[in-house]
Amino acid sequence: MYMYLFSLPEGLQCSHVPIEMKMKVCILAVALGLGLAHHNSHVKHGRTSIVHLFEWRWADIAQECERYLGPNGYSGVQISPPSENIVVTKPWRPWWERYQPVSHNLCSRSGTEQELRDMIARCNAVGVNIYADAVINHMCSNEGGEGRHSTCGSYFNATKEEFPSVPFTAQDFNDRNCTTRSGNIEDYQDINQVRDCRLVGLLDLAHRREYVRGKIADYMNALIDMGVAGFRVDACKHMWPEDLSAIYGRLHNLNSKWFPAGSKPFIYQEVIDLGGEPIKACEYYEMGRVTEFKYGARLGTVIRKWNGEKLSDLKSWGEDWGLMPSDKALVFVDNHDNQRGHGAGGKSILTFWEPRLYRLATAFMLAHPYGMTRVMSSYRWNRHIVKGKDENDWEGPPSFPDGSTKPVPVTPEGGCGDGWVCEHRWHPIKNMVIFRNVVDGEPLCNWWDNGSNQIAFGRGSRGFIVINNDDWTLDMTLSTGLSGGTYCDVISGQKEGGQCTGKQVTVGKDGRAHFRISSSDSDPFVAIHTDSKL
Ligand code: QV4
Ligand code: CA
């Protein structure tokens, strides 16, 4: 059963009205069939944010769950595709070889099946869910050749569309359903091409065939039985919703060793919809959450102040900006594609390459109630932009000469070495993930702005953030919605041993507090919440 709260009038939402008064009559919408069954992320302990540990090895993820993600309240990890993929040597071991499956064997550059199983158990044990990146629209490229150049040495023949390790044979692919001469998608305005032809030459599976649906469900069920909590489903735009629904309907319930009996796998679907194409994200809403690519693209232009856009415009941020309904949206500042010019988002996308603006954008995302948040965790590559194109966008993760991925070393300061960026460990980001947990469920209120790029807003009576993206000092006394007392700013420091290691903020009995933020601060924003109160 789903409980929908009427949206309360602004004033009533944010005043200190006791919760029972806030619980207006709820509309009980019975789940519409199987469809709405995959929206529950099964997060533990009120956690709210996923981290994408892109290209990390399973052994490193297991350690990170225990030493960092569990203790700091991350809700889950999106892991790179765990299925066996083609080994590409030209260019040398690109990250994207993992989006070219050759079997459903669970061995990849991130590790063996046993290491995967071990990692899932260890992360589950500390309340960190695992969401697997499921590449099920296709197998490898039609130019993938023939042989055993694969991460577990399985034989395949791309030219003949033979993948004996599954097995899939030519009849399991969409060739006869694709109408273009090249066999590739040539026109994104033609929904049949987008679904039934090859995405950049990738052999397109025929999901209308029961056999194909069954094999894919078997693969996903193997992961479910090992303990994953759900999936990021790759390239959903390229699959018919009814075929996806048939596949999702065959998925097992989650392993009751870690999840309540009858729990359905959480599903969020990659659909790039910036408008302008016949295929819409809303076609996929019934079946699970959907990635909202407009989020990062628009937030980037506002924070970069392009076309006169300014932070105070974000007062209406959310559906009023044309974003999908908040309870359907999986949101992120950048992802593994658009941080390197793949997929969608363009030049406005903020990434770790511009750390100060990136921290500001991520802090805003984590403070604002819209959507389910995902934090990107990247590796550095030899970015080399020539005429707007990054010539090294293909570069794989930090690795040894034999192509195997390097472990992730943690530095004494708590960052990562060897080229791993670990944005999820950056102090402001880690503490804003905690902020989001503390304020979860509280409405946005006490909005203030200066009509330019200085804004502030609260989350009910549990948190408050002030951001200065203007070129002059913010110096204001604001209504925070918080109860009187002294709070530690969790951006410039945090509460440690009963003290503030950074700035502290005194909130008066009237809930008002004075904030002074210089535009030259390395992080020109302040955030306080009820768990950072002395
Ligand atoms: C090349 C030519 C093709 C030709 C083909 C013949 O470009 O025209 O037909 O050879 O073999 C890699 C290469 C690409 C190459 C292709 C096949 O980059 O040049 O085609 O392999 O050999 C990732 C990368 C792609 C990569 C792919 C497979 O981004 O560059 O292609 O993996 O290795 C759309 C989709 C959206 C998609 C986005 C990138 O709607 O779903 O494009 N995003 C997801 C993943 C993304 C992944 C895929 C889908 C494919 O997030 O990482 O693509 O699984 O918007
Ligand atoms: Ca397809």
Side-chain angles (χ1 to χ4, degrees), residues 137-138 174 193-197 204-205 207 235 238-240:
N137 170 63
H138 51 265
N174 261 330
Q193 285 186 35
V194 176
R195 265 77 182 255
D196 293 337
C197 295
D204 203 60
L205 284 163
H207 301 97
H238 304 281
M239 295 181 273
W240 295 97

Side-chain angles (χ1 to χ4, degrees), residues 323-478:
L323 304 183
M324 67 177 74
S326 176
D327 65 348
K328 298 292 184 299
L330 192 282
V331 299
F332 42 95
V333 173
D334 65 328
N335 82 333
H336 71 280
D337 279 329
N338 64 21
Q339 69 172 193
R340 47 177 50 79
H342 284 232
K347 301 262 175 296
S348 72
I349 296 297
L350 287 164
T351 72
F352 69 88
W353 292 108
E354 298 174 87
R356 186 171 183 275
L357 289 182
Y358 188 71
R359 290 193 298 267
L360 196 154
T362 305
F364 175 83
M365 172 181 78
L366 291 166
H368 195 279
Y370 180 87
M372 178 183 290
T373 46
R374 180 181 66 193
V375 171
M376 181 70 201
S377 189
S378 319
Y379 58 79
R380 226 168 251 100
W381 68 92
N382 301 303
R383 193 170 64 154
H384 181 225
I385 295 176
V386 176
K387 296 197 190 82
K389 173 98 174 60
D390 178 359
E391 293 190 330
N392 296 328
D393 64 351
W394 54 270
E395 277 188 14
S399 53
F400 296 107
D402 69 356
S404 60
T405 303
K406 284 185 176 178
V408 181
V410 174
T411 63
E413 305 72 45
C416 299
D418 264 351
W420 299 99
V421 177
C422 284
E423 300 95 316
H424 69 285
R425 280 175 166 258
W426 292 1
H427 180 87
I429 293 180
K430 179 265 286 186
N431 274 352
M432 285 309 292
V433 164
I434 293 168
F435 178 106
R436 191 177 190 80
N437 293 346
V438 171
V439 306
D440 189 29
E442 294 293 320
L444 187 147
C445 54
N446 291 303
W447 176 276
W448 168 83
D449 66 61
N450 69 342
S452 178
N453 291 284
Q454 296 179 355
I455 65 171
F457 60 91
R459 294 288 303 278
S461 57
R462 294 182 58 76
F464 193 72
I465 187 168
V466 187
I467 304 176
N468 180 10
N469 201 22
D470 271 328
D471 304 331
W472 61 89
T473 298
L474 181 152
D475 191 338
M476 286 298 299
T477 297
L478 300 168

